[in-house]
Amino acid sequence: RLNADDQCTGFIVQLPLPAAVDTHAVLERIDPAKDADGLHPANLGRMLLGMDGPRPCTPRGIIALLRHHDIELRGAQVCVIGCGLTVGRPLSMMLTDPSLHATVTLCNEATPNVAAHTRVADVVVSAAGVAHLVRPSWIRPSAVVLSVGLTRTVEGVLGDVHPDVTDVASFVAPPVGGVGPMT
Protein backbone atom coordinates (compact mmCIF):
# COMPACT_ATOMS: atom_id res chain seq x y z
CA ARG A 1 0.00 0.00 0.00
CA LEU A 2 1.11 3.57 -0.60
CA ASN A 3 0.56 6.42 1.84
CA ALA A 4 0.05 10.09 0.93
CA ASP A 5 3.81 10.58 0.56
CA ASP A 6 3.91 7.78 -2.06
CA GLN A 7 5.78 5.46 0.32
CA CYS A 8 5.10 1.78 0.87
CA THR A 9 3.43 0.85 4.14
CA GLY A 10 2.11 -2.34 5.62
CA PHE A 11 4.16 -4.96 3.76
CA ILE A 12 7.51 -6.69 3.75
CA VAL A 13 9.93 -6.61 0.82
CA GLN A 14 12.07 -9.74 0.42
CA LEU A 15 14.87 -9.62 -2.13
CA PRO A 16 15.44 -10.80 -4.75
CA LEU A 17 12.22 -9.68 -6.39
CA PRO A 18 10.90 -11.27 -9.60
CA ALA A 19 12.75 -10.08 -12.72
CA ALA A 20 9.68 -8.17 -13.93
CA VAL A 21 9.69 -5.95 -10.82
CA ASP A 22 11.93 -2.86 -10.64
CA THR A 23 13.79 -3.50 -7.38
CA HIS A 24 15.17 0.03 -7.13
CA ALA A 25 11.70 1.56 -7.56
CA VAL A 26 10.35 -0.65 -4.76
CA LEU A 27 13.26 0.15 -2.42
CA GLU A 28 12.85 3.89 -3.02
CA ARG A 29 9.23 3.70 -1.87
CA ILE A 30 10.07 2.21 1.53
CA ASP A 31 9.93 4.68 4.41
CA PRO A 32 13.65 5.06 5.33
CA ALA A 33 12.73 5.20 9.03
CA LYS A 34 11.03 1.78 8.76
CA ASP A 35 13.66 0.18 6.53
CA ALA A 36 14.62 -2.87 8.60
CA ASP A 37 17.18 -4.02 6.01
CA GLY A 38 18.89 -0.66 5.46
CA LEU A 39 18.50 -0.91 1.68
CA HIS A 40 16.69 2.37 0.97
CA PRO A 41 19.04 4.64 -1.02
CA ALA A 42 19.07 7.16 1.85
CA ASN A 43 20.11 4.48 4.34
CA LEU A 44 22.79 3.06 2.03
CA GLY A 45 24.11 6.59 1.61
CA ARG A 46 24.15 7.10 5.39
CA MET A 47 26.09 3.85 5.74
CA LEU A 48 28.61 4.93 3.12
CA LEU A 49 29.09 8.23 4.94
CA GLY A 50 29.48 6.50 8.32
CA MET A 51 26.30 8.03 9.68
CA ASP A 52 23.82 6.34 12.01
CA GLY A 53 21.00 4.41 10.42
CA PRO A 54 19.73 0.92 9.75
CA ARG A 55 22.25 -1.50 8.26
CA PRO A 56 21.53 -4.51 6.02
CA CYS A 57 20.75 -7.43 8.31
CA THR A 58 22.88 -10.20 6.79
CA PRO A 59 26.10 -8.14 6.75
CA ARG A 60 25.30 -7.08 10.34
CA GLY A 61 24.93 -10.76 11.24
CA ILE A 62 28.23 -11.63 9.54
CA ILE A 63 30.09 -8.96 11.49
CA ALA A 64 28.37 -9.99 14.73
CA LEU A 65 29.36 -13.62 14.14
CA LEU A 66 32.99 -12.66 13.49
CA ARG A 67 33.08 -10.46 16.60
CA HIS A 68 31.45 -13.18 18.71
CA HIS A 69 34.27 -15.55 17.76
CA ASP A 70 36.93 -12.86 18.36
CA ILE A 71 37.99 -12.75 14.72
CA GLU A 72 40.21 -9.68 14.33
CA LEU A 73 39.04 -7.57 11.41
CA ARG A 74 41.28 -4.52 11.82
CA GLY A 75 43.88 -4.84 9.09
CA ALA A 76 42.58 -8.27 8.07
CA GLN A 77 42.50 -9.24 4.39
CA VAL A 78 38.86 -10.08 3.66
CA CYS A 79 37.68 -11.57 0.38
CA VAL A 80 33.96 -11.17 -0.25
CA ILE A 81 32.62 -13.29 -3.11
CA GLY A 82 29.39 -11.93 -4.56
CA CYS A 83 28.55 -8.27 -5.03
CA GLY A 84 24.80 -8.37 -4.47
CA LEU A 85 22.86 -5.59 -2.82
CA THR A 86 21.79 -7.64 0.20
CA VAL A 87 25.21 -8.99 1.24
CA GLY A 88 28.35 -8.37 -0.84
CA ARG A 89 28.30 -4.66 -1.57
CA PRO A 90 27.02 -3.49 1.84
CA LEU A 91 29.32 -5.92 3.67
CA SER A 92 32.35 -4.58 1.82
CA MET A 93 31.39 -1.02 2.82
CA MET A 94 30.76 -2.00 6.44
CA LEU A 95 34.08 -3.85 6.73
CA THR A 96 36.02 -0.81 5.50
CA ASP A 97 34.33 1.50 8.01
CA PRO A 98 36.92 3.14 10.31
CA SER A 99 35.50 1.17 13.26
CA LEU A 100 36.61 -2.10 11.58
CA HIS A 101 39.31 -1.07 9.05
CA ALA A 102 39.52 -4.35 7.15
CA THR A 103 41.09 -4.52 3.70
CA VAL A 104 38.43 -5.87 1.35
CA THR A 105 38.57 -7.52 -2.06
CA LEU A 106 35.11 -7.78 -3.60
CA CYS A 107 34.89 -10.52 -6.25
CA ASN A 108 32.11 -11.21 -8.73
CA GLU A 109 31.45 -13.52 -11.68
CA ALA A 110 33.74 -11.39 -13.89
CA THR A 111 36.69 -11.58 -11.48
CA PRO A 112 39.45 -13.68 -13.07
CA ASN A 113 40.90 -16.35 -10.80
CA VAL A 114 38.83 -15.78 -7.66
CA ALA A 115 40.90 -18.49 -5.97
CA ALA A 116 44.00 -16.26 -6.12
CA HIS A 117 42.13 -13.67 -4.01
CA THR A 118 40.85 -16.18 -1.47
CA ARG A 119 44.27 -17.82 -1.00
CA VAL A 120 45.69 -14.63 0.55
CA ALA A 121 42.62 -13.79 2.64
CA ASP A 122 42.38 -14.02 6.41
CA VAL A 123 38.60 -14.12 6.08
CA VAL A 124 36.55 -15.37 3.13
CA VAL A 125 32.82 -14.62 2.91
CA SER A 126 31.03 -16.30 0.03
CA ALA A 127 27.61 -14.94 -0.87
CA ALA A 128 27.48 -15.93 -4.53
CA GLY A 129 24.70 -18.50 -4.41
CA VAL A 130 26.79 -21.10 -6.26
CA ALA A 131 26.85 -24.54 -4.66
CA HIS A 132 30.31 -25.59 -3.43
CA LEU A 133 32.02 -22.76 -5.32
CA VAL A 134 34.76 -22.33 -2.70
CA ARG A 135 37.04 -25.39 -2.67
CA PRO A 136 39.62 -26.42 -0.06
CA SER A 137 42.47 -25.55 -2.46
CA TRP A 138 41.20 -21.94 -2.47
CA ILE A 139 41.71 -21.48 1.27
CA ARG A 140 44.96 -20.83 3.08
CA PRO A 141 45.45 -22.72 6.34
CA SER A 142 43.96 -20.97 9.37
CA ALA A 143 41.64 -18.73 7.32
CA VAL A 144 38.12 -18.03 8.55
CA VAL A 145 35.39 -18.93 6.03
CA LEU A 146 31.72 -18.00 6.06
CA SER A 147 29.31 -19.71 3.70
CA VAL A 148 26.43 -17.29 3.22
CA GLY A 149 25.05 -18.09 -0.25
CA LEU A 150 22.55 -20.93 -0.61
CA THR A 151 21.50 -23.11 -3.52
CA ARG A 152 18.46 -25.37 -3.35
CA THR A 153 19.00 -28.67 -5.15
CA VAL A 154 17.35 -32.08 -5.20
CA GLU A 155 19.92 -33.09 -2.56
CA GLY A 156 18.76 -30.25 -0.30
CA VAL A 157 20.20 -26.84 0.53
CA LEU A 158 23.88 -26.47 -0.35
CA GLY A 159 26.18 -23.63 0.62
CA ASP A 160 28.78 -21.80 -1.43
CA VAL A 161 31.58 -23.46 0.53
CA HIS A 162 32.51 -27.10 -0.08
CA PRO A 163 32.26 -29.16 3.15
CA ASP A 164 35.94 -30.22 2.88
CA VAL A 165 37.00 -26.61 3.52
CA THR A 166 36.65 -27.49 7.23
CA ASP A 167 39.84 -29.55 6.84
CA VAL A 168 41.82 -26.40 5.97
CA ALA A 169 40.16 -23.40 7.63
CA SER A 170 40.42 -22.52 11.31
CA PHE A 171 36.70 -21.70 11.44
CA VAL A 172 33.85 -22.31 8.99
CA ALA A 173 30.35 -20.92 9.44
CA PRO A 174 27.99 -23.37 7.76
CA PRO A 175 25.42 -22.24 5.20
CA VAL A 176 22.53 -23.41 7.36
CA GLY A 177 22.74 -22.48 11.02
CA GLY A 178 25.66 -20.04 10.60
CA VAL A 179 24.81 -16.46 9.70
CA GLY A 180 21.12 -17.12 9.08
CA PRO A 181 19.86 -17.25 12.68
CA MET A 182 21.54 -13.92 13.44
CA THR A 183 20.09 -12.29 10.35
Side-chain angles (χ1 to χ4, degrees):
R1 295 183 303 254
L2 298 178
N3 65 20
D5 296 325
D6 203 31
Q7 291 179 319
C8 296
T9 62
F11 70 96
I12 296 171
V13 175
Q14 178 69 49
L15 299 182
L17 296 173
V21 177
D22 182 347
T23 299
H24 294 121
V26 171
L27 291 175
E28 286 180 327
R29 288 184 161 192
I30 294 172
D31 180 349
K34 296 180 180 183
D35 178 16
D37 288 327
L39 296 177
H40 184 279
N43 290 326
L44 288 173
R46 294 180 69 79
M47 178 177 60
L48 181 64
L49 294 171
M51 299 169 67
D52 287 338
R55 300 294 189 255
C57 57
T58 302
R60 261 195 348 251
I62 289 166
I63 291 170
L65 179 66
L66 292 168
R67 285 181 168 162
H68 175 78
H69 288 283
D70 297 319
I71 307 301
E72 181 60 50
L73 292 171
R74 186 171 201 80
Q77 296 283 336
V78 181
C79 181
V80 178
I81 304 170
C83 61
L85 181 61
T86 56
V87 180
R89 282 186 278 168
L91 177 61
S92 67
M93 285 191 287
M94 292 167 71
L95 287 169
T96 58
D97 184 83
S99 67
L100 296 175
H101 266 312
T103 300
V104 178
T105 301
L106 181 58
C107 298
N108 58 54
E109 61 272 0
T111 304
N113 197 3
V114 174
H117 298 284
T118 62
R119 283 189 197 105
V120 297
D122 302 304
V123 178
V124 175
V125 179
S126 187
V130 178
H132 297 171
L133 170 69
V134 179
R135 313 294 296 182
S137 62
W138 289 22
I139 304 300
R140 71 176 185 80
S142 78
V144 172
V145 180
L146 283 75
S147 185
V148 180
L150 299 173
T151 304
R152 286 170 175 59
T153 69
V154 293
E155 295 92 27
V157 178
L158 301 177
D160 285 3
V161 177
H162 191 280
D164 292 345
V165 167
T166 58
D167 296 337
V168 181
S170 65
F171 175 82
V172 177
V176 178
V179 175
M182 293 192 312
T183 298

